[in-house]
Amino acid sequence: MLRYLVRRVLISVPLLIGISLITFGVINMAPGGPIGISADLNPKATAEYRERLKAYYGLDQPLYIQYGRWLKKMAVLDFGDSFSPDGRKVWDKIRERIPVTLGINILSMTLIFLVAVPLGIYSAVRKGSVFDRVTTVTVFTGFAIPSYWLALLLMILFGVKLGWLPISGLVSMEHDSLTLAGRLLDRARHLVLPVFIAGFTGLAGISRYMRSNMLEVIRQDYVATARAKGLPERKVVFRHAVRNALLPVITILGLSVPELLGGAVIFETIFAIPGMGQLFFQGVMSRDYPLVMGMLTIGAFLTLLGNILADVGYAMADPRIKTERAG
């Protein structure tokens, strides 16, 4: 297994370079650019001024030289300087946003896992029941509703009409004057809607995968044998069926690792949350190439890491896979 993991890590290196090469080309070929955005609204911006800006940012060089320069910095984990007026290090800007996005997405993924897996198991065991039908309609409704539309509806209902929950930011203006318990409650109230939106829209996929996997597993011969031996239904389901039914869900959870940092563009922008999603949106709109490249590279790295973690999860859930890969 260790040899397999080392091989996967080594294969991931050229994959990461290939992804960064394609991403770099796509970003630089997209319409618009940082020079146009900063100079178009300036009536004093002459052609000479634009050329000086291009030279300052290194955009006057051919793309392969620009990419080689970026790759050389990446080799020492330097994401470069942002093209924004503050000119800060890209990593510094990303680093201060990571805790916010990471916290919200861990909460939402925990909510999804705690609700979706039991929901899928119970729906499969009670297939065709009223609970199964109601659950199916509910989760598919959540899957079909656009997250931004649901967010706006809940903001109007709970924030504007009822006034129960705040609808923007992470803390209130009076946050610093509150007691410790008051600060925790204040932050929790600000997180209710974003975490619920992220969790509700992601519920359908996991619960449906879990239900279909359970339906397939409980028809297997070894499950029928366990029932024939007289084991209680609870032991048959949770000891013999759930473990194998979790394998595809582990894959989905592994592939969800990139979303821990990059899957929050919509609700972070709507709720004005200063996280990675909002930073990425701002970077794209301002054509901040180093910032966008830095965040997409992190996303690509997390995607490859998620695949490796999914394989490890497979091996932990099913020892037969571990044996095959070790051989």
Side-chain angles (χ1 to χ4, degrees):
M1 186 65 184
L2 179 62
R3 188 188 306 169
Y4 171 77
L5 287 177
V6 171
R7 191 165 64 243
R8 285 294 307 272
V9 171
L10 293 177
I11 292 174
S12 298
V13 174
L15 274 176
L16 188 61
I17 294 175
I19 293 171
S20 69
L21 178 60
I22 295 172
T23 305
F24 191 87
V26 170
I27 290 175
N28 281 273
M29 287 187 290
I35 306 303
I37 289 178
S38 62
D40 285 349
L41 298 178
N42 184 1
K44 297 181 180 178
T46 61
E48 184 183 358
Y49 172 75
R50 292 170 183 266
E51 292 302 319
R52 283 207 307 270
L53 275 182
K54 280 187 179 179
Y56 178 77
Y57 291 129
L59 299 176
D60 57 339
Q61 300 293 322
L63 275 183
Y64 67 90
I65 293 181
Q66 293 182 43
Y67 177 74
R69 188 182 301 154
W70 178 85
L71 193 61
K72 186 178 179 182
K73 288 183 177 178
M74 275 301 302
V76 292
L77 300 179
D78 181 3
F79 289 92
D81 298 331
S82 170
F83 282 177
S84 62
D86 59 22
R88 296 176 59 200
K89 289 285 185 183
V90 168
W91 175 240
D92 290 341
K93 301 181 80 166
I94 293 175
R95 187 176 54 186
E96 65 189 24
R97 303 283 188 122
I98 286 177
V100 175
T101 300
L102 194 61
I104 291 175
N105 285 315
I106 286 178
L107 287 174
S108 63
M109 287 186 67
T110 303
L111 177 66
I112 291 172
F113 190 77
L114 290 179
V115 175
V117 172
L119 209 62
I121 295 172
Y122 198 76
S123 293
V125 174
R126 298 286 185 270
K127 181 187 177 186
S129 65
V130 174
F131 176 83
D132 182 33
R133 294 175 184 176
V134 171
T135 303
T136 301
V137 172
T138 304
V139 297
F140 275 111
T141 301
F143 185 72
I145 293 177
S147 57
Y148 65 88
W149 186 72
L150 181 61
L152 292 175
L153 283 183
L154 296 182
M155 288 168 73
I156 293 172
L157 176 62
F158 293 105
V160 179
K161 298 290 184 183
L162 300 176
W164 291 354
L165 296 170
I167 59 174
S168 67
L170 282 177
V171 294
S172 304
M173 294 181 66
E174 64 275 12
H175 180 79
D176 292 338
S177 61
L178 298 174
T179 61
L180 178 60
R183 291 181 184 179
L184 292 176
L185 180 61
D186 180 54
R187 188 171 288 265
R189 292 180 69 245
H190 281 79
L191 290 176
V192 169
L193 285 179
V195 171
F196 177 78
I197 296 296
F200 185 70
T201 53
L203 194 64
I206 302 291
S207 65
R208 292 300 92 183
Y209 268 111
M210 195 66 212
R211 179 181 181 275
S212 62
N213 295 333
M214 277 294 295
L215 288 175
E216 184 178 343
V217 169
I218 59 180
R219 287 196 290 263
Q220 299 295 318
D221 292 340
Y222 66 89
V223 174
T225 302
R227 284 177 174 147
K229 288 166 61 180
L231 288 177
E233 185 65 18
R234 178 182 295 273
K235 284 189 177 180
V236 172
V237 171
F238 288 99
R239 183 174 295 178
H240 295 277
V242 170
R243 191 170 182 174
N244 288 326
L246 277 174
L247 291 177
V249 177
I250 290 172
T251 303
I252 296 174
L253 289 176
L255 295 176
S256 299
V257 170
E259 296 181 8
L260 289 174
L261 292 180
V265 176
I266 294 176
F267 70 81
E268 282 189 8
T269 303
I270 292 176
F271 288 102
I273 295 174
M276 293 275 288
Q278 188 190 60
L279 183 65
F280 181 75
F281 180 78
Q282 294 170 350
V284 170
M285 296 305 292
S286 62
R287 306 296 193 274
D288 192 342
Y289 293 163
L291 179 61
V292 175
M293 276 301 298
M295 298 188 72
L296 291 178
T297 303
I298 291 175
F301 171 77
L302 291 177
T303 301
L304 297 174
L305 177 65
N307 281 324
I308 295 175
L309 291 178
D311 283 346
V312 175
Y314 258 60
M316 292 176 66
D318 189 345
R320 293 173 299 176
I321 298 174
K322 182 179 179 179
T323 303
E324 290 170 4
R325 287 175 177 171

